[in-house]
Amino acid sequence: MNAIAPVGRSLAPFEARLDGIEDPIRHAAVGELRRVGLPGPRVEAWRYTHLRPLAGHEFREAAASFDADPVGRALDESLPRDGLLASTPRLVLVNGRFAPELSSPANGVALPEGVTFERFSASPEFDALATPEREPLVALNTALATDGVRLSVAEGVAAERIVLVSVACAGDEAVSFHPRHSVSLGAGASLELIELAVSSGSGAGAATYFHNPVLTCDVREGAKLTHVKVQKEAAGATHLATVYANIAARGAYDSFTLGLGSDLARHEVHARLSGAKAAVHVNGAQLLGEKQVGDITSVITHAAPDCISRQTIRNVLTDHARGVFQGKVHVHQIAQKTDGYQMNQALLLSPHAEIDAKPELEIYADDVKCSHGATVGALDDEQLFYLRSRGVPEAQARRILVEAFLLEVLDLHEDEAGRALLDTALGAALSLRIGREQVPGQAAGEVSE
Amino acid sequence: MSDFLNISGLHARIDADGAPKEILRGVDLVIPPGEVHAIMGPNGSGKSTLSYVLAGREDYEVTSGAVSFKGQDLLAMEPEERAAAGVFLAFQAPIELPGVNNANFLRTAVNAVRRARGDAELDAVGFLKTVRAATKKLSMSDEMLKRNVNVGFSGGEKKRNEVLQMTMLQPSLAILDETDSGLDVDALRIVADGVNALRSPTFSALVITHHQRLLDYLNPDRVHVMARGRIVHSGGAELAKEIDVQGYASFLAEAA
């Protein structure tokens, strides 16, 4: 028994892989982990989201080889064959490892000009934006990362969009993978990163695995990074992601995360507005059922004047699902004229569903505009009756209202390609959790000029 | 006896802060096919409750009585089944549906009703053609179709949107709950035209109103006075004019 026991949870699920690490950065991360353990409920940042599901497993490193058929099927089912997304360059990782044969240019789509791509495994470098000493899950990633993508967009280049797909292909043995991604945009550059996390169904029940990605985003002066993420991993999965964004003057990080899958998921964003007139959007939606837990956590730091931050989150929770939103806005003394907005809304469709919301404002500047709010409610009986009195069957009426609640926040994302992915994923999740559409082709926007 | 709409001995109550409050206390009303009937009466007499009970709102508990509609037990049907059977309620205060596009809402409703009635559903093109013709007739802008249902609509626009839904759903029994309140003369005319356009030997309407004006355009076959949860007096179109002059006092005395 150790003389000093860590205050957090045991590292046993990963212990076998933490020994003998020599790289100094990874070694420091392991030391940090051993000191604090995995975060337990007494750690404020993890009070509402418990890592209990990780205990009792021994997570092995996922094998490099995988069964191509289910992975191919998962890709086909998740990404449309036509439209803008089909012709968008694609980077695919399977079990956290880059899979060149599934990625562009193998698909005949070259990466945009002015974009350089490198695998993390080719030269493992840890971006200084990440703070493993503060976030134990990032320390774990730092210790165990084997691969990931590193994208940089040259100054002034409008790089359109790139799709980043993670396919998990787990078998009987519990595995974990810890991809390390980074994106950097030179001054005036722009890129939309469309991220998708899926599982390839093996068919034989829920495979246990743990996906622990870290993404660092360096957005230079006047650059704009748009980031759309759809997480629809299978039951049995734990998905704990951390994103760091540093946004220089007049730059923007505009993000939207849609959480649909995994038993336990957390999307944690640390955004720092480091130059004047920078902007950050951390918008998102979750639609969860059964015993799913979905957590969106953000820490937004206004470290320069005249910056804007926007967070609009909507949760729909059925069965025994639980949603968590933690949003901290930290305004430094120098950050005068800060304009911050935060709103978390939840629709609870079952008496057993739960939402935990924790807004935090820490403001040291005296000339700021910061608002935050939260609402919790059930479906409106009057609205339901109105629809039904027009002949719409109850199940369909419910779906229409739930969809409308979520579409209002999806509408914050304007790009056509990212939106197509969001709509497709949401439609499938609505059919699963709320009820099927009764009329084929009844999706919003169907009736048009 | 007609078997179009037959309300007999209808009692209904609502839960008011834990205590049941009886609102309908024995409504008897028969509406034959092809007729327009008006219900007038002081505030709180149960007019809106009657309209909600007929449309199937669950907040009200029917404690006794019966309603048959075209030979069916209306009270046993779900709200959507009543709509499919031909009942339409124009709401006194139409509900806003944020995030629900008005055109999609209308098409969903029309096709749900058509499906239930065994008619072919309208495709996007067929729907647009039909709805455009209807909006034109109601002097509505197509822009209203692109907005969310009733969100940001003026009072008059909301009422017109109700009439548009009625026109599109082709009911055989339209219940208008004070659809005329707060409308100017032009809007009133549009509401009346909407009802008159549906008039046929197989269409009836139950018009709840406080004012004689709408009835001038509709020329009702019967006018009923409702007070304290019952129909206390019935007469021809001239009754509305009488009420306009005298008020309800004499009928209330009669009911007491």
Side-chain angles (χ1 to χ4, degrees):
Chain A
M1 186 137 180
N2 288 341
I4 306 169
V7 293
R9 294 175 185 280
S10 162
L11 292 172
F14 309 97
E15 192 60 67
R17 292 154 73 190
L18 298 176
D19 276 337
I21 288 178
E22 282 172 11
D23 173 272
I25 291 179
R26 293 183 194 259
H27 186 78
V30 172
E32 200 58 42
L33 270 177
R34 292 213 194 282
R35 191 173 66 80
V36 299
L38 289 174
R42 275 180 293 173
V43 175
E44 184 58 31
W46 292 88
R47 220 170 103 187
Y48 301 107
T49 299
H50 302 163
L51 298 181
R52 215 175 293 119
L54 294 180
H57 296 284
E58 191 178 333
F59 289 99
R60 295 174 191 273
E61 184 174 355
S65 63
F66 58 86
D67 194 350
D69 286 346
V71 170
R73 268 199 306 277
L75 284 171
D76 285 346
E77 283 164 12
S78 307
L79 290 168
R81 282 168 186 277
D82 43 22
L84 216 43
L85 271 177
S87 56
T88 300
R90 171 185 305 183
L91 301 171
V92 180
L93 287 91
V94 178
N95 289 346
R97 275 196 185 78
F98 182 65
E101 68 280 16
L102 297 171
S103 304
S104 303
N107 287 321
V109 186
L111 286 181
E113 230 167 285
V115 176
T116 54
F117 160 68
E118 208 182 0
R119 290 176 65 162
F120 175 88
S121 61
S123 59
E125 283 169 30
F126 293 97
D127 200 303
L129 290 179
T131 48
E133 67 282 5
R134 216 175 49 197
E135 281 80 46
L137 271 300
V138 176
L140 186 65
N141 172 285
T142 302
L144 298 177
T146 53
D147 208 352
V149 305
R150 187 181 299 136
L151 288 166
S152 38
V153 184
E155 208 177 298
V157 170
E160 297 194 329
R161 49 188 77 78
I162 290 176
V163 177
L164 174 62
V165 191
S166 162
V167 186
C169 183
D172 298 334
E173 194 178 64
V175 295
S176 73
F177 40 94
H178 311 259
R180 187 77 169 216
H181 308 300
S182 78
V183 176
S184 56
L185 269 62
S190 65
L191 172 72
E192 177 174 14
L193 180 68
I194 300 173
E195 191 185 349
L196 173 66
V198 297
S199 311
S200 69
S202 56
T208 301
Y209 73 89
F210 173 37
H211 184 190
N212 171 224
V214 170
L215 165 67
T216 54
C217 306
D218 189 14
V219 181
R220 295 292 166 85
E221 286 75 12
K224 180 175 184 183
L225 176 62
T226 306
H227 179 200
V228 179
K229 173 176 161 181
V230 173
Q231 185 273 112
K232 49 172 202 169
E233 298 193 58
T238 297
H239 176 106
L240 303 174
T242 312
V243 178
Y244 295 92
N246 182 55
I247 307 126
R250 297 177 315 284
Y253 172 66
D254 184 353
S255 72
F256 191 99
T257 181
L258 178 62
L260 305 170
S262 302
D263 286 344
L264 170 62
R266 169 140 147 162
H267 180 78
E268 179 172 333
V269 180
H270 297 260
R272 184 181 175 88
L273 297 151
S274 59
K277 296 188 175 158
V280 63
H281 294 202
V282 180
N283 298 322
Q286 305 192 95
L287 170 57
L288 306 173
E290 294 166 63
K291 289 182 174 176
Q292 284 182 296
V293 176
D295 174 335
I296 296 175
T297 288
S298 65
V299 179
I300 292 176
T301 305
H302 283 260
D306 300 308
C307 292
I308 294 172
S309 64
R310 293 277 177 276
Q311 297 178 80
T312 305
I313 310 287
R314 290 204 172 174
N315 310 270
V316 175
L317 305 161
T318 71
D319 308 328
H320 286 79
R322 199 155 61 83
V324 177
F325 172 70
Q326 307 185 97
K328 180 171 179 176
V329 179
H330 185 169
V331 181
H332 287 189
Q333 195 171 3
I334 192 177
Q336 300 295 352
K337 306 282 182 195
T338 284
D339 178 358
Y341 171 84
Q342 183 188 91
M343 176 59 78
N344 178 63
Q345 294 175 289
L347 197 50
L348 302 184
L349 300 181
S350 135
H352 308 291
E354 183 182 323
I355 177 84
D356 298 299
K358 187 180 72 178
E360 268 183 286
L361 299 179
E362 198 176 325
I363 301 173
Y364 298 99
D366 50 21
D367 183 12
V368 303
K369 194 172 81 185
C370 273
S371 65
H372 68 92
T375 66
V376 184
L379 276 183
D380 186 302
D381 283 340
E382 286 198 331
Q383 293 181 339
L384 262 180
F385 175 63
Y386 192 60
L387 281 159
R388 295 178 71 191
S389 77
R390 268 57 181 146
V392 181
E394 186 177 4
Q396 196 184 357
R398 285 178 165 279
R399 177 175 166 136
I400 287 170
L401 293 176
V402 170
E403 188 167 21
F405 178 76
L406 293 172
L407 285 182
E408 280 195 309
V409 62
L410 258 63
D411 282 345
L412 296 171
H413 185 79
E414 284 165 357
D415 176 77
E416 191 191 332
R419 182 59 195 265
L421 187 69
L422 291 170
D423 283 337
T424 308
L426 180 62
L430 283 167
S431 294
L432 174 71
R433 301 281 175 218
I434 311 297
R436 298 215 156 267
E437 283 176 290
Q438 308 248 332
V439 184
Q442 197 61 60
E446 173 78 14
V447 176
S448 58
E449 292 306 294
Chain B
M1 161 129 340
S2 151
D3 61 357
F4 186 74
L5 180 71
N6 192 341
I7 304 171
S8 61
L10 187 63
H11 286 72
R13 63 188 186 187
I14 192 165
D15 185 86
D17 295 323
K21 187 180 171 199
E22 189 161 50
I23 299 177
L24 300 185
R25 305 173 183 194
V27 176
D28 295 304
L29 179 64
V30 173
I31 301 182
E35 293 195 359
V36 171
H37 286 213
I39 292 188
M40 304 180 82
N43 289 329
S45 57
K47 305 185 299 293
S48 286
T49 297
L50 177 62
S51 71
Y52 277 141
V53 168
L54 293 178
R57 197 169 159 146
E58 281 158 4
D59 313 24
Y60 299 93
E61 185 196 350
V62 174
T63 50
S64 66
V67 180
S68 77
F69 177 60
K70 295 195 267 192
Q72 288 176 278
D73 177 4
L74 191 70
L75 299 178
M77 297 159 77
E78 298 291 338
E80 54 268 34
E81 294 171 334
R82 300 182 197 203
V87 176
F88 179 88
L89 168 64
F91 282 53
Q92 188 180 135
I95 307 298
E96 298 183 3
L97 302 178
V100 180
N101 171 275
N102 207 20
N104 282 329
F105 164 69
L106 266 175
R107 186 173 166 220
T108 304
V110 166
N111 279 339
V113 163
R114 290 181 73 95
R115 195 165 56 235
R117 291 176 188 165
D119 296 333
E121 291 177 28
L122 292 179
D123 61 13
V125 176
F127 169 78
L128 271 180
K129 234 169 91 181
T130 317
V131 78
R132 287 246 167 84
T135 50
K136 204 171 157 195
K137 222 157 73 183
L138 297 170
S139 310
M140 285 172 65
S141 68
D142 284 352
E143 190 261 331
M144 264 172 73
L145 293 172
K146 293 175 187 159
R147 286 153 67 183
N148 287 338
V149 180
N150 294 327
V151 177
F153 284 30
S154 70
E157 284 175 327
K158 283 183 182 174
K159 297 297 176 73
R160 245 181 276 189
N161 203 30
E162 294 291 288
V163 177
L164 172 64
Q165 292 167 37
M166 179 177 76
T167 305
M168 295 293 293
L169 290 174
Q170 296 282 310
S172 47
L173 173 67
I175 304 163
L176 282 76
D177 185 6
E178 293 191 28
T179 304
D180 55 338
S181 60
L183 293 188
D184 60 30
V185 182
D186 291 338
L188 201 65
R189 189 78 201 230
I190 286 165
V191 172
D193 288 350
V195 176
N196 285 331
L198 289 170
R199 287 190 90 150
S200 80
T202 55
F203 170 83
S204 298
L206 179 61
V207 182
I208 295 168
T209 182
H210 277 297
H211 309 288
Q212 155 68 18
R213 233 172 25 174
L214 176 65
L215 300 181
D216 284 343
Y217 295 115
L218 289 179
N219 194 23
D221 297 282
R222 298 286 287 167
V223 174
H224 309 277
V225 178
M226 194 163 179
R228 298 194 189 99
R230 292 169 54 222
I231 303 290
V232 296
H233 192 88
S234 298
E238 72 288 348
L239 182 56
K241 296 189 176 67
E242 213 176 293
I243 291 168
D244 216 31
V245 178
Q246 302 180 359
Y248 298 114
S250 60
F251 305 109
L252 294 181
E254 214 173 296

